[in-house]
């Protein structure tokens, strides 16, 4: 019994010693990592001001490979012509001065959080307006040094970038916004940026934008030459398509409704002056307010946009409906004047006929009355006989359907209203056909190129 107890005591102490040795081994391993960092980055051993050598230790330019992960695209502003993006930016290059022993694969890489301790490429975003790093809770940046001297730099940043836009097809347009990265001081003789092989740009899944859709993105090179030399440059072109459904509901359908409401005045009585004037002025002012609101959300550009054509034509139709009532009112007064003149003429003719009949009555004592063989030109009886002869002498004409239909409306003012009821909708439908076919086909042509 004592021997068994002694055996368990020895086993317990042996397990404690093995655990202590394991902990010491772990601590010693981390101590080794610290020693490696001190060894390769110690004072007088590494100078961050000197760029790395070229491929295979040559005197060629240092090669830096870039890749991006687009985390989100916040806003795309048409007025300021800019967009905001948050991304994880990564650079990778080889610095042979940072090679170290990985202790038989135990040290996969060393991690740093201070970028100023190693040489860094002088990259900048050439179309940047504003930008900031993220420091919540800790700075979102790290540097990994691999045993072969490869350095990986990763950081999360938010940028506001300029995006010049062509708004000729607005809101049926597509916009290309670029992200440009270039070297500020090192020329291509010392530093060259290259896209990482494989998949250099990645975009987060389920990226939702309020008024745009990211259709695709392309990577390219954009080296620039200046008086001081040629500088390496990379760019990403993001192709955005504007969502048309918002503008269809907010702009196009309301404008169509305003134009159609302005046609209601054609069906009102021409004597209803207050109703027709108030309807025309109200639709005109509403259309003008709608146009002003649209232009307020866009930058003042020197060319005509697709939305300008639409609002301009709709405003013209509404204004034309108001002018049509002015023409109807003028024609109505003209018809009344003609009717009064005809009434006076009929009264004069009736008076002359009555005078002639009175003259015949005074000569009733005679056996017969001799009628004059020659009548004066102004004699109403002669004019009436002459019209009857002309009617019998004229050849019969084919009836004109338009004139026959218009003859149902005796006054010119009523005819203007009836013609406007047909002409305005037909012309507006023709405009819609030309407008949509022109801009939709032009959009498809721009997409092919």
């Amino acid at each position: 019994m004592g021997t068994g107890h002694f055996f368990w005591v020895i086993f317990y102490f042996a397990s404690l010693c093995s655990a202590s040795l394991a902990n010491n081994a772990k601590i010693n391993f981390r101590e080794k990592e610290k020693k490696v960092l001190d060894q390769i980055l110690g004072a007088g051993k590494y100078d961050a001001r000197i760029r790395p050598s070229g491929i295979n230790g040559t005197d060629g330019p240092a090669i830096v490979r870039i890749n991006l992960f687009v985390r989100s695209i916040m806003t795309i502003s048409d007025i300021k012509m800019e967009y905001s993006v948050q991304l994880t930016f990564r650079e990778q290059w080889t610095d042979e001065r940072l090679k170290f022993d990985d202790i038989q694969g135990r040290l996969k890489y060393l991690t740093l959080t201070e970028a100023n301790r190693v040489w860094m490429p002088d990259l900048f975003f050439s179309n940047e307006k504003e930008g900031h790093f993220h420091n919540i809770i800790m700075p979102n940046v790290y540097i990994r040094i691999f045993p072969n001297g490869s350095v990986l730099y990763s950081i999360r940043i938010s940028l506001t970038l300029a995006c010049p836009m062509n708004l000729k097809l607005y809101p049926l347009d597509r916009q290309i916004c670029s992200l440009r990265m270039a070297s500020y001081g090192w020329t291509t003789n010392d530093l060259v940026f290259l896209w990482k092989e494989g998949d250099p740009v990645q975009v987060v899944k389920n990226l939702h934008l309020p008024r745009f859709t990211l259709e695709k993105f392309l990577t390219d090179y954009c080296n620039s030459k200046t008086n001081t030399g040629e500088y390496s440059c990379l760019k990403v072109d993001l192709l955005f398509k504007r969502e048309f459904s918002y503008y269809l509901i907010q702009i196009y359908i309301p404008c169509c409704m305003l134009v159609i409401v302005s046609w209601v005045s054609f069906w009102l009585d021409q004597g209803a002056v207050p109703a027709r004037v108030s309807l025309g002025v109200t639709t005109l002012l509403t259309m003008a307010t709608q146009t002003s609101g649209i232009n307020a959300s866009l930058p003042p550009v020197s060319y005509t946009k697709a939305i300008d054509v639409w609002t301009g034509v709709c405003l013209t139709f509404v204004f034309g409906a108001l002018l049509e009532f002015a023409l109807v009112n003028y024609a109505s007064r003209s018809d009344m004047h003609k009717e009064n003149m005809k009434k006076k003429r009929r009264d004069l003719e009736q008076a002359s006929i009555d005078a002639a009949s009175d003259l015949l009555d005074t000569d009733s004592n005679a056996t017969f009355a001799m009628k004059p063989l020659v009548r004066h030109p102004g004699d109403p009886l002669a004019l009436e006989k002459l019209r009857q002869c002309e009617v019998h002498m004229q050849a019969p004409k084919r009836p004109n359907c338009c004139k026959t239909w218009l003859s149902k409306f005796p006054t010119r003012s009523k005819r203007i209203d009836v013609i406007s009821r047909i002409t305005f909708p037909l012309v507006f439908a023709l405009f819609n056909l030309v407008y949509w076919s022109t801009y939709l086909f032009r959009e498809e042509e721009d997409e092919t190129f």
Side-chain angles (χ1 to χ4, degrees), residues 269-290:
D269 186 74
Q270 58 190 13
V273 177
R276 297 188 68 163
V277 170
S278 60
L279 181 62
V281 172
T282 302
T283 53
L284 182 63
L285 292 178
T286 307
M287 192 67 217
T289 305
Q290 181 86 350

Side-chain angles (χ1 to χ4, degrees), residues 107-357:
L107 278 178
K108 294 183 178 181
Y109 54 81
L110 304 174
T111 302
L112 294 177
T113 56
E114 299 175 359
N116 57 357
R117 298 193 62 181
V118 296
W119 177 86
M120 292 290 299
D122 60 342
L123 181 141
F124 76 105
F125 297 93
S126 58
N127 60 333
E128 173 202 353
K129 286 186 174 182
E130 295 179 358
H132 67 273
F133 302 124
H134 293 266
N135 298 319
I136 308 271
I137 299 177
M138 293 293 292
N140 299 163
V141 58
Y142 68 81
I143 300 174
R144 290 178 180 175
I145 304 175
F146 295 89
N148 62 350
S150 178
V151 182
L152 173 63
Y153 174 73
S154 177
I155 188 171
R156 186 166 73 100
I157 53 179
S158 292
L159 300 171
T160 300
L161 304 166
C163 178
M165 298 181 182
N166 186 354
L167 300 175
K168 288 184 178 180
L169 298 180
Y170 176 90
L172 301 168
D173 57 335
R174 284 179 169 84
Q175 300 297 337
I176 297 178
C177 295
S178 298
L179 173 63
R180 295 175 176 266
M181 299 160 287
S183 173
Y184 188 80
W186 299 99
T187 62
T188 52
N189 296 327
D190 298 312
L191 179 62
V192 173
F193 291 121
L194 297 176
W195 286 113
K196 184 181 179 181
E197 297 178 356
D199 194 7
V201 178
Q202 300 173 342
V203 179
V204 66
K205 294 181 180 179
N206 300 324
L207 179 64
H208 296 289
L209 298 173
R211 297 186 185 180
F212 288 88
T213 300
L214 179 61
E215 288 194 328
K216 59 182 178 180
F217 52 88
L218 302 172
T219 58
D220 200 357
Y221 296 89
C222 53
N223 292 2
S224 60
K225 292 183 179 180
T226 64
N227 294 332
T228 56
E230 183 179 359
Y231 296 90
S232 183
C233 175
L234 304 178
K235 72 172 181 176
V236 184
D237 290 332
L238 304 173
L239 178 59
F240 296 102
K241 180 182 179 182
R242 197 182 299 271
E243 288 290 343
F244 179 68
S245 58
Y246 169 82
Y247 301 93
L248 179 65
I249 297 173
Q250 297 293 327
I251 296 177
Y252 284 93
I253 292 179
C255 289
C256 282
M257 294 174 65
L258 286 174
V259 172
I260 294 173
V261 167
S262 68
W263 298 342
V264 175
S265 64
F266 304 154
W267 300 87
L268 297 178
D269 186 74
Q270 58 190 13
V273 177
R276 297 188 68 163
V277 170
S278 60
L279 181 62
V281 172
T282 302
T283 53
L284 182 63
L285 292 178
T286 307
M287 192 67 217
T289 305
Q290 181 86 350
T291 305
S292 301
I294 296 170
N295 293 329
S297 61
L298 292 173
V301 293
S302 59
Y303 48 82
T304 303
K305 304 179 289 296
I307 196 67
D308 294 336
V309 176
W310 175 265
T311 55
V313 172
C314 290
L315 190 62
T316 303
F317 270 93
V318 174
F319 184 66
L322 185 61
L323 291 182
E324 188 270 348
F325 172 67
L327 182 62
V328 166
N329 194 8
Y330 173 77
S332 177
R333 288 185 282 109
S334 178
D335 291 338
M336 292 178 62
H337 179 70
K338 285 185 178 182
E339 188 66 27
N340 292 332
M341 293 299 293
K342 286 182 180 180
K343 187 176 181 181
K344 289 181 180 180
R345 194 181 301 114
R346 284 196 300 269
D347 292 342
L348 290 176
E349 291 178 355
Q350 187 65 32
S352 61
I353 292 173
D354 293 342
S357 61

Side-chain angles (χ1 to χ4, degrees), residues 20-68:
S20 178
L21 289 174
N23 291 333
N24 289 333
K26 272 190 176 181
I27 294 174
N28 292 337
F29 177 71
R30 296 306 172 193
E31 292 274 342
K32 186 65 177 177
E33 184 177 353
K34 176 181 178 300
K35 290 180 181 179
V36 171
L37 283 173
D38 294 338
Q39 180 182 356
I40 62 177
L41 297 176
K45 295 182 179 180
Y46 183 88
D47 194 344
R49 298 172 298 177
I50 302 174
R51 72 168 180 85
S53 59
I55 300 176
N56 297 325
T58 61
D59 196 27
I63 305 298
V64 179
R65 298 191 177 274
I66 307 294
N67 72 311
L68 305 172

